[in-house]
Amino acid sequence: MEISADGPQKKQGDLFIADQNVLIQYGEISLRADHVEYNYSPTKLPPPHILFDYDNQHIEAAQAQYNLSTATGKFHQVRGDVKISRRPNPLVLLTDNPLHFEARDVDKLPGDVYIVRQAWITVCDPEHPKWQFFARRARIRMDKDVALVNANFRLLHVPLIWVPYATAPAGPRVRQTGFLTRTLATVTVKA
């Protein structure tokens, strides 16, 4: 693990403190923050502005706690995106845009699974989305699927459809078995 910072750094017992453009590199994980307090057991990173990058995943958060050894964490006031690789399919409209989301809280679980709460999810331009889902709770499994609980689909910010539970592919596989509304299956989370 490598830690660098533009500002002051100090160590108090097991606590390492760094300020100003702090960068932590741990294998393929890259974490940037304005302020870091790194406790060797457990690892907690509660800076005021956090950038978390891992593989095809990018998260910006106001607060976070992250355990490097278990690759699990909690993020608050989150904005993020996930680049999903897709195989070309001439029958289904796909986009190269990443999956964008904003959420009040995000839990990163083992195995590249994220639980997002009070979340907006879209593959449109996040600044001006033409459509989006709002879900009180959603599970994003990298390279597999997105499962939405108590969600509504909005077109130009107008709620159109409420669904108690819905899934959408979020990996290379485009189609899934089960009951899917054709227009939603074509429009949902595809990148």
Side-chain angles (χ1 to χ4, degrees):
M1 176 175 36
E2 296 177 33
I3 301 175
S4 63
D6 292 344
Q9 302 175 33
K10 63 182 175 180
K11 186 174 179 192
Q12 298 172 339
D14 287 342
L15 186 65
F16 174 81
I17 301 169
D19 287 299
Q20 298 176 355
N21 196 26
V22 181
L23 173 63
I24 297 177
Q25 292 284 118
Y26 184 77
E28 295 179 10
I29 298 173
S30 168
L31 183 112
R32 290 185 182 277
D34 296 329
H35 172 83
V36 166
E37 294 181 14
Y38 176 80
N39 186 336
Y40 292 100
S41 59
T43 302
K44 292 187 178 183
L45 305 168
H49 186 250
I50 298 163
L51 300 175
F52 175 80
D53 291 300
Y54 174 67
D55 197 21
N56 60 344
Q57 307 154 35
H58 173 77
I59 292 178
E60 298 178 19
Q63 297 177 337
Q65 292 182 334
Y66 192 80
N67 187 317
L68 291 170
S69 60
T70 62
T72 60
K74 294 181 178 295
F75 300 87
H76 184 65
Q77 299 300 338
V78 179
R79 187 178 185 137
D81 55 64
V82 177
K83 181 70 175 164
I84 301 170
S85 60
R86 293 296 176 105
R87 288 180 281 209
N89 185 331
L91 302 175
V92 180
L93 175 64
L94 298 176
T95 177
D96 290 331
N97 294 341
L99 166 72
H100 298 284
F101 62 92
E102 289 186 31
R104 185 189 67 208
D105 297 300
V106 172
D107 293 338
K108 182 179 182 317
L109 306 177
D112 285 339
V113 174
Y114 290 88
I115 302 297
V116 296
R117 291 178 184 77
Q118 303 297 326
W120 293 99
I121 299 171
T122 188
V123 293
C124 296
D125 172 13
E127 300 303 319
H128 306 288
K130 301 225 183 312
W131 68 265
Q132 58 192 177
F133 276 99
F134 173 78
R136 294 186 193 280
R137 183 178 184 277
R139 179 195 68 217
I140 302 170
R141 294 188 310 170
M142 294 298 126
D143 295 328
K144 290 190 175 78
D145 63 5
V146 175
L148 308 161
V149 177
N150 194 17
N152 64 59
F153 175 77
R154 295 180 178 211
L155 185 63
L156 300 173
H157 300 290
V158 177
L160 295 179
I161 300 170
W162 174 80
V163 289
Y165 180 82
T167 63
R173 192 170 158 211
V174 175
R175 295 284 185 190
Q176 295 181 340
T177 60
F179 177 74
L180 293 174
T181 307
R182 182 157 173 77
T183 40
L184 288 182
T186 304
V187 176
T188 54
V189 184
K190 301 208 182 337

